[in-house]
Amino acid sequence: VQLQASGGGLVQAGGSLRLSCAGSGLTFSRYALAWFRQAPGKEREIVAAISSSGVSTYYADSVKGRFTFSRDNAKNTVYLQMNSLKPEDTAIYSCAATYYTGTDGRALKFLKYDVWGQGTQVTVSS
């Protein structure tokens, strides 16, 4: 079971990046996926999550309206489109998955994500 994240980089404030996370070795369409981030000296926080079918999503207040989480189960891949980036978005972003076929978006934040990919660095300069 493996999650492979990609798409991080350096961008100026106001710019955009798209992160991708590809899964292998799991029945991808039965897993909820999430993006977490951890900035230096701060605790890891959940940024966004998406249900197995993609019908439900969760966004942290800090990214709501700027980030969009989507998935393509045919490609075993999820995408996090990040627009209007701010310096405070600078962090290592990691994708994670858990087996969950429910559609309650409110539950996504509280799931125990037990499959993790490696992180990808996102740096937003001011």
Side-chain angles (χ1 to χ4, degrees), residues 96-113:
T98 190
Y99 187 92
Y100 176 72
T101 57
T103 57
D104 186 353
R106 296 168 297 180
L108 294 172
K109 177 183 178 181
F110 302 104
L111 298 176
K112 258 194 178 342
Y113 292 89

Side-chain angles (χ1 to χ4, degrees), residues 45-83:
E45 62 174 348
I46 186 168
V47 174
I50 192 165
S51 63
S52 57
S53 64
V55 68
S56 301
T57 52
Y58 161 82
Y59 296 97
D61 288 343
S62 58
V63 306
K64 212 172 283 186
R66 300 188 297 122
F67 290 11
T68 302
F69 201 175
S70 62
R71 67 189 295 158
D72 184 342
N73 284 342
K75 296 182 178 180
N76 284 5
T77 303
V78 295
Y79 307 97
L80 185 68
Q81 179 66 43
M82 306 186 295
N83 298 329

Side-chain angles (χ1 to χ4, degrees), residues 25-52:
L26 70 168
T27 307
F28 195 79
S29 61
R30 293 185 174 273
Y31 281 72
L33 272 290
W35 285 98
F36 291 77
R37 69 185 181 188
Q38 187 165 22
K42 294 190 176 182
E43 289 190 359
R44 185 174 63 195
E45 62 174 348
I46 186 168
V47 174
I50 192 165
S51 63
S52 57

